[in-house]
């Protein structure tokens, strides 16, 4: 699923998160009301790819038990990415920006 230029609330993502057959989520130039995306428990059960290219999003958070299958995350700008240690199948992270966040470097070092 690709959303381009959408205005989203966290609740909108939670509705989409219940779609069991979704394999990829791409957000381009979207506005999120609270400037953050939180992937919550039992959401996006079969998602393999997450790509976020939205300058207004400042935080992407993965909670325990969320999105169990992503293998690749692509994100841009100075968005903070936390909770990747909760993603057991994560194999690849692609960052398109100037400054790679230290928090993400530390999380990568801790990732199994």
């Amino acid at each position: 699923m690709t959303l381009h230029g959408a205005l989203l609330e966290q609740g909108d993502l939670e509705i989409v998160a219940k779609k069991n057959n979704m394999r990829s989520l791409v957000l381009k130039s979207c506005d999120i009301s609270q400037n953050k995306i939180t992937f919550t428990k039992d959401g996006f059960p079969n998602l393999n790819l997450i790509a976020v290219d939205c300058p207004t999003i400042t935080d992407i958070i993965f909670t325990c038990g969320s999105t169990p299958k992503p293998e690749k995350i692509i994100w841009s700008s100075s968005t903070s990415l936390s909770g990747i240690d909760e993603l057991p199948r994560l194999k690849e992270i692609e960052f398109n920006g100037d400054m790679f966040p230290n928090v993400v470097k530390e999380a990568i070092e801790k990732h199994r």
Side-chain angles (χ1 to χ4, degrees):
M1 171 182 276
T2 299
L3 298 173
H4 190 280
L7 176 58
L8 301 170
E9 303 279 335
Q10 180 65 37
D12 298 330
L13 285 176
E14 290 173 10
I15 291 169
V16 173
K18 295 177 183 175
K19 304 296 181 190
N20 290 332
N21 294 327
M22 188 180 311
R23 301 284 188 241
S24 68
L25 177 64
V26 179
L27 303 175
K28 294 178 126 303
S29 303
C30 293
D31 283 327
I32 304 293
S33 62
Q34 297 174 345
N35 295 342
K36 70 178 179 178
I37 298 171
T38 302
F39 290 89
T40 58
K41 184 176 179 161
D42 300 324
F44 298 103
N46 293 304
L47 200 63
N48 294 324
L49 169 69
I50 301 167
V52 178
D53 186 9
C54 304
T56 59
I57 297 175
T58 57
D59 295 298
I60 301 172
I61 303 162
F62 296 95
T63 62
C64 183
S66 68
T67 57
K69 296 183 179 179
E71 295 180 1
K72 183 174 183 178
I73 297 174
I74 304 168
W75 90 103
S76 301
S77 72
S78 59
T79 301
S80 173
L81 185 65
S82 61
I84 62 171
D85 54 324
E86 301 292 341
L87 306 174
R89 294 189 180 179
L90 185 63
K91 296 177 184 173
E92 185 177 352
I93 295 178
E94 180 179 318
F95 176 70
N96 300 312
D98 296 331
M99 297 289 293
F100 194 76
N102 286 333
V103 170
V104 178
K105 287 180 188 177
E106 292 168 9
I108 289 170
E109 291 172 6
K110 293 178 185 176
H111 191 274
R112 320 174 219 130

